[in-house]
Amino acid sequence: MPLLEVVWIALLGALSGLMIGCIAIGGVILVPALVFLAGIPIQIAIPAAMFAYILSGLVATAVFARNKSIDWRMASSLCIGGTPAAFAGAWAVSIFDGRLLAACLGVFDPFVGSKFATAASSR
């Protein structure tokens, strides 16, 4: 991989990590950025992003835990539901066509963005 591409992807990762730590939506940004800005195939972008979330999630979790801002009961419930669903989603990425995944991304991301914008404007 050329150095410029490594730097570009690292910058996208930094932006995503910042957004994950601040407002918990970096994941919504990273995969579309890798696919549509960096030209990475979606079946490669999704697993790479998932791997990157491990470390950024652990770091953010440590900070939130130190600040005593984690509701551990709710977090545990999210893990109970999210873990099997993550397995199913990872399996789905391996069998669905990249165009279908990109279309789903294209429909889902604007919806999430509009919900965040609506919530922010109502405060």
Side-chain angles (χ1 to χ4, degrees):
M1 183 179 295
L3 179 60
L4 187 57
E5 188 173 350
V6 170
V7 170
W8 174 238
I9 291 171
L11 288 172
L12 291 174
L15 176 62
S16 174
L18 178 65
M19 295 182 78
I20 287 170
C22 290
I23 53 178
I25 65 161
V28 176
I29 303 294
L30 186 56
V31 172
L34 289 171
V35 172
F36 301 118
L37 298 177
I40 306 293
I42 196 164
Q43 286 95 345
I44 294 172
I46 292 172
M50 290 293 103
F51 183 75
Y53 299 155
I54 293 169
L55 187 55
S56 59
L58 287 173
V59 169
T61 300
V63 172
F64 290 130
R66 185 178 49 198
N67 293 335
K68 299 184 185 335
S69 58
I70 297 175
D71 178 336
W72 291 105
R73 177 179 250 168
M74 182 182 65
S76 297
S77 296
L78 288 170
C79 288
I80 290 168
T83 301
F87 177 79
W91 173 75
V93 167
S94 69
I95 63 167
F96 289 121
D97 185 83
R99 293 172 295 194
L100 175 64
L101 296 170
C104 290
L105 196 61
V107 169
F108 181 70
D109 271 3
F111 174 74
V112 171
S114 69
K115 288 296 183 184
F116 270 97
T118 303
S121 66
S122 67
R123 288 187 181 162

